[in-house]
């Protein structure tokens, strides 16, 4: 039985807590965080504390806090024998001060109240000691069938890629919703298109899947679109993205 302590009370901490409660061979012995109100979420199935100087012994300590607080929190674990890991995609392994350190990074977007299925979520693990890496592999395998050993440099680039395909794309969804609402249209009209676009890249590359006026260099349509836009930021985005798409496919035009 792997004993784990979760440090943090945010969205990721809550999702990990829920996933590990259902996992075989894992015991969440404690949740530690500064927010006493948020700690109540964990009180039914684990001990909880807002005292970082009274952390219980465990095999793995999962730090699920903001990136700039990882080092500070890891300092409270300097005398622990278990593996100290952070859950960040953008932070180097060396941000953790204890020597027995690692990374446990679930590559997914987590939103409050939105249930996710951990079974298919890629979990990227890293550790300096072979035994620690195997322990993290076992822990990750208890909740996911999609576990990968990825080093810090690879993970940081993967996190950057995730920002492009998730955060930036979601912002563009918001622009699309705003344009629909300006004309009294439902954003639901675009959802089948969004789903089909996502589905296509399961079988073909994004470059092959690219369509639209910029892809075919349809200057008349692009000029018409620009005339419809009132927001300067949206105009800038439209021009920038259209130019990037044209350049990516210029050999085909």
């Amino acid at each position: 039985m792997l004993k784990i302590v979760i440090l943090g009370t945010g969205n990721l901490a809550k999702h990990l807590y829920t996933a590990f409660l259902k996992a075989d061979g894992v015991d969440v012995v404690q949740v530690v965080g500064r927010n006493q109100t948020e700690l109540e979420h964990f009180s039914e199935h684990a001990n909880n504390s807002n005292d970082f100087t009274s952390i219980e012994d465990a095999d793995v300590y999962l730090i699920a806090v903001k990136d700039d607080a990882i080092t500070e929190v890891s300092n409270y674990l300097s005398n622990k024998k278990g593996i100290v890991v952070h859950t960040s995609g953008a932070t180097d392994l060396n941000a953790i001060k204890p020597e027995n350190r690692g990374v446990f990074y679930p590559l997914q977007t987590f939103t409050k109240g939105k249930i996710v299925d951990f079974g298919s979520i890629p979990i990227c693990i890293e550790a300096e000691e072979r035994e620690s890496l195997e322990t993290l592999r076992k822990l990750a395998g208890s909740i996911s069938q999609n576990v990968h050993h990825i080093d810090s440099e690879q993970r940081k680039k993967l996190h950057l890629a995730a920002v492009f395909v998730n955060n930036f794309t979601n912002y563009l969804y918001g622009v699309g919703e705003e344009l629909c609402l300006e004309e009294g249209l439902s954003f639901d009209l675009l959802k089948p298109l969004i789903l089909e676009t996502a589905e296509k890249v399961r079988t073909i590359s994004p470059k092959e899947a690219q369509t639209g006026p910029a892809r075919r260099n349809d200057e008349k349509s692009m000029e018409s679109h620009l005339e419809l836009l009132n927001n300067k930021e949206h105009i800038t985005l439209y021009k920038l993205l259209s130019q990037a798409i044209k350049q990516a496919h210029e050999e085909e035009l």
Side-chain angles (χ1 to χ4, degrees):
M1 181 73 71
L2 284 174
K3 294 183 177 181
I4 67 171
V5 169
I6 297 174
L7 298 105
T9 57
N11 284 332
L12 179 54
K14 290 173 181 174
H15 281 93
L16 287 172
Y17 171 75
T18 300
F20 283 127
L21 287 181
K22 301 174 184 177
D24 293 330
V26 178
D27 180 19
V28 182
V29 297
Q30 188 184 33
V31 178
V32 183
R34 292 188 172 90
N35 190 319
Q36 188 62 50
T37 301
E38 292 296 329
L39 278 172
E40 294 177 5
H41 174 88
F42 307 91
S43 60
E44 185 175 356
H45 299 288
N47 294 330
N48 62 71
S49 175
N50 60 6
D51 184 359
F52 281 81
T53 64
S54 300
I55 300 172
E56 297 184 21
D57 291 334
D59 299 299
V60 181
Y61 298 90
L62 286 160
I63 300 175
V65 299
K66 293 180 179 179
D67 290 6
D68 58 6
I70 288 172
T71 299
E72 177 189 354
V73 172
S74 75
N75 285 330
Y76 289 105
L77 300 162
S78 57
N79 63 338
K80 298 296 185 181
K81 294 181 180 179
I83 311 163
V84 180
V85 304
H86 70 62
T87 54
S88 168
T91 305
D92 195 273
L93 173 68
N94 295 329
I96 295 173
K97 294 311 176 185
E99 292 184 3
N100 191 2
R101 56 196 176 192
V103 177
F104 189 98
Y105 168 53
L107 179 53
Q108 186 54 280
T109 177
F110 296 96
T111 303
K112 185 177 181 179
K114 176 69 169 62
I115 297 173
V116 296
D117 176 16
F118 263 89
S120 59
I121 292 176
I123 297 182
C124 307
I125 59 173
E126 181 183 7
E128 293 175 321
E129 299 180 15
R130 179 176 297 181
E131 184 178 346
S132 297
L133 185 65
E134 289 309 309
T135 298
L136 294 182
R137 195 184 305 277
K138 180 180 178 182
L139 181 63
S142 72
I143 59 174
S144 175
Q145 291 81 52
N146 197 355
V147 181
H148 304 269
H149 177 206
I150 294 178
D151 66 35
S152 287
E153 290 307 310
Q154 291 174 314
R155 177 170 37 80
K156 285 188 281 187
K157 187 63 71 70
L158 183 63
H159 184 263
L160 173 59
V163 168
F164 272 92
V165 304
N166 173 242
N167 305 126
F168 291 167
T169 301
N170 189 71
Y171 175 80
L172 294 177
Y173 291 163
V175 174
E177 182 181 39
E178 186 176 328
L179 293 172
C180 285
L181 293 176
E182 286 176 0
E183 295 300 320
L185 299 170
S186 171
F187 182 62
D188 288 346
L189 290 167
L190 292 175
K191 289 179 180 177
L193 175 62
I194 291 170
L195 294 175
E196 175 60 19
T197 303
E199 185 63 29
K200 279 196 294 185
V201 297
R202 291 168 63 92
T203 55
I204 60 177
S205 74
K207 188 171 183 179
E208 290 177 296
Q210 187 69 58
T211 61
R215 165 67 178 78
R216 58 181 182 269
N217 199 24
D218 183 349
E219 295 288 349
K220 185 175 181 180
S221 290
M222 288 188 282
E223 289 174 5
S224 176
H225 287 164
L226 288 169
E227 290 174 1
L228 292 171
L229 292 171
N230 300 313
N231 185 305
K232 290 182 178 180
E233 288 185 357
H234 296 171
I235 292 171
T236 300
L237 269 174
Y238 189 98
K239 289 180 177 179
L240 182 64
L241 291 172
S242 294
Q243 184 60 31
I245 291 170
K246 286 196 293 183
Q247 288 180 348
H249 294 272
E250 60 184 356
E251 75 279 1
E252 305 164 24
L253 297 175

